[in-house]
Amino acid sequence: QVQLVESGGGLVQPGGSLRLSCVVSGSRFSINNYAMGWYRQAPGKQRELVAAIARGGSTTYADSVRGRFTISRDSAAKTVYLQMNSLKPEDTAVYYCNMYESWGQGTQVTVSS
């Protein structure tokens, strides 16, 4: 059974940075065989795609985070990362990683002074 576990969330001031990690276990294949994504959901809002990385390595970002966030992966570690810089209060949300039909439990990111 595939499991995804996120970590790295926390409380940060506006303008600060965080790096989220998503460790994949139980997969028969390299994570490079899958498209993977980071999503977020704030209270009262719909879950939205923040960043995605395709099997071939191309990346996609929501307009709201482009230039500030970077998605990357380490196939040896079976880990996908989301580097978040220049954080804004509107980035506050629970962040989830996804691979195919598997989801992590989420990690809380709070941006506040």
Side-chain angles (χ1 to χ4, degrees), residues 44-82:
K45 295 185 178 180
Q46 187 174 349
R47 186 174 298 187
E48 64 174 339
L49 177 66
V50 176
I53 184 165
R55 178 175 175 175
S58 62
T59 57
T60 303
Y61 299 94
D63 289 344
S64 59
V65 308
R66 190 182 308 277
R68 300 187 296 120
F69 290 12
T70 303
I71 187 171
S72 62
R73 66 191 179 193
D74 182 340
S75 60
K78 291 191 172 183
T79 303
V80 178
Y81 304 95
L82 184 67

Side-chain angles (χ1 to χ4, degrees), residues 9-102:
L11 175 63
V12 65
Q13 293 187 338
S17 297
L18 286 173
R19 189 178 75 160
L20 307 184
S21 299
C22 176
V23 178
V24 178
S25 63
S27 175
R28 293 180 178 271
F29 308 106
S30 167
I31 63 170
N32 287 5
N33 282 40
Y34 303 87
M36 300 192 68
W38 284 96
Y39 293 73
R40 68 185 181 187
Q41 187 167 25
K45 295 185 178 180
Q46 187 174 349
R47 186 174 298 187
E48 64 174 339
L49 177 66
V50 176
I53 184 165
R55 178 175 175 175
S58 62
T59 57
T60 303
Y61 299 94
D63 289 344
S64 59
V65 308
R66 190 182 308 277
R68 300 187 296 120
F69 290 12
T70 303
I71 187 171
S72 62
R73 66 191 179 193
D74 182 340
S75 60
K78 291 191 172 183
T79 303
V80 178
Y81 304 95
L82 184 67
Q83 178 67 45
M84 305 186 294
N85 298 327
S86 302
L87 283 161
K88 304 175 180 179
E90 51 262 45
D91 295 319
T92 295
V94 178
Y95 285 71
Y96 302 88
C97 65
N98 167 259
M99 183 181 77
Y100 188 45
E101 58 187 9
S102 297

